[in-house]
Amino acid sequence: MSEHIDKKLLDEDLVYRFEYMSKFLNFTENDIAALNAFAKIIQSVIPSAVEGIYQKLLDIDVTKQYFLKQNYGFEGIMTTEAAQVTVKSEQMTFRINSMRKYLLRVLRQRIWNDAFLNFLSNVGKMHTNMAGASSINVDYVHINALFGHLEHILIDVVLSSDELDGETKKATILALNKLFWIQNDFFTMHYIIASKSGN
């Protein structure tokens, strides 16, 4: 007999959605432990990796435009001339620090409870126009490209590490892959809601 999945709950209940995704992807406590262990290895690499990601975003005009807008929570001096924005600009430092904190949190998180799931959901929501004043409203294609690029960076660190044996590398790569699919789902959930609401 087929397992019943409640579509309404899947669309409306964050925990139910996460449990469905986790079961489908076989995301377990072992994956969380692998991410936690990897956090110790990647910690020193994150600052330069994140700066490199934002440099890549600044190198493309269609993504650079998002950094010429005032970001929620940013109270520094805005550089509004595209040619003058660099990774050292105040608004870029703000975003770079935000992504560094995000990465460390998701990799270090030991208990994926309601509060943490809401955090992951809100990260997705703020990139649509559904988060009110904190909305960034980024076209999804750029989010998808960023996740792919970020995952490749992290996997490269895993594969290049001398601290991990073969089995641990495999477990870490699988855990990272599941993490990004789960986070990506929380993004797409809000993009779908936004499209259905006509925003």
Side-chain angles (χ1 to χ4, degrees):
M1 181 181 237
S2 300
E3 177 183 358
H4 174 66
I5 297 297
D6 189 317
K7 187 180 184 313
K8 184 173 171 53
L9 281 177
L10 199 61
D11 291 341
E12 298 176 359
D13 187 311
L14 196 59
V15 174
Y16 187 85
R17 189 180 184 102
F18 170 69
E19 288 173 349
Y20 167 75
M21 287 291 293
S22 295
K23 188 172 182 180
F24 206 103
L25 295 172
N26 192 30
F27 181 74
T28 68
E29 294 292 329
N30 290 336
D31 293 301
I32 294 172
L35 295 173
N36 295 163
F38 180 58
K40 297 171 185 174
I41 295 170
I42 193 71
Q43 184 173 299
S44 63
V45 178
I46 283 178
S48 59
V50 171
E51 186 170 309
I53 288 166
Y54 276 93
Q55 183 60 63
K56 190 174 187 74
L57 292 169
L58 288 177
D59 288 342
I60 304 168
D61 59 358
V62 73
T63 49
K64 188 174 192 175
Q65 66 172 322
Y66 293 106
F67 306 117
L68 303 177
K69 302 173 185 176
Q70 184 76 24
N71 196 78
Y72 182 80
F74 175 69
E75 297 176 353
I77 298 171
M78 277 289 297
T79 304
T80 55
E81 289 293 327
Q84 295 177 6
V85 177
T86 71
V87 289
K88 303 302 181 186
S89 300
E90 283 192 50
Q91 70 253 42
M92 297 308 301
T93 300
F94 177 82
R95 303 249 185 142
I96 287 168
N97 287 338
S98 294
M99 181 178 274
R100 287 172 179 167
K101 290 175 186 174
Y102 161 79
L103 279 174
L104 286 172
R105 180 167 182 186
V106 296
L107 293 173
R108 289 174 174 168
Q109 186 71 26
R110 295 184 182 279
I111 301 172
W112 285 46
N113 54 19
D114 290 7
F116 181 62
L117 295 180
N118 275 304
F119 166 74
L120 293 180
S121 175
N122 286 332
V123 169
K125 187 175 185 179
M126 73 186 297
H127 286 81
T128 68
N129 56 4
M130 302 297 288
S134 61
S135 295
I136 302 173
N137 197 21
V138 178
D139 289 341
Y140 178 72
V141 63
H142 311 307
I143 298 295
N144 199 39
L146 176 61
F147 274 141
H149 182 60
L150 178 56
E151 184 176 12
H152 290 165
I153 290 172
L154 298 183
I155 288 174
D156 187 55
V157 172
V158 174
L159 293 173
S160 302
S161 175
D162 294 328
E163 299 178 49
L164 304 175
D165 60 32
E167 281 302 308
T168 306
K169 286 182 178 181
K170 177 181 176 182
T172 304
I173 290 171
L174 290 174
L176 285 169
N177 188 55
K178 294 172 193 180
L179 163 66
F180 278 104
W181 278 108
I182 291 167
Q183 178 66 94
N184 188 51
D185 180 65
F186 285 164
F187 270 77
T188 54
M189 174 180 70
H190 290 296
Y191 277 94
I192 291 167
I193 292 170
S195 68
K196 285 182 177 176
S197 67
N199 293 319

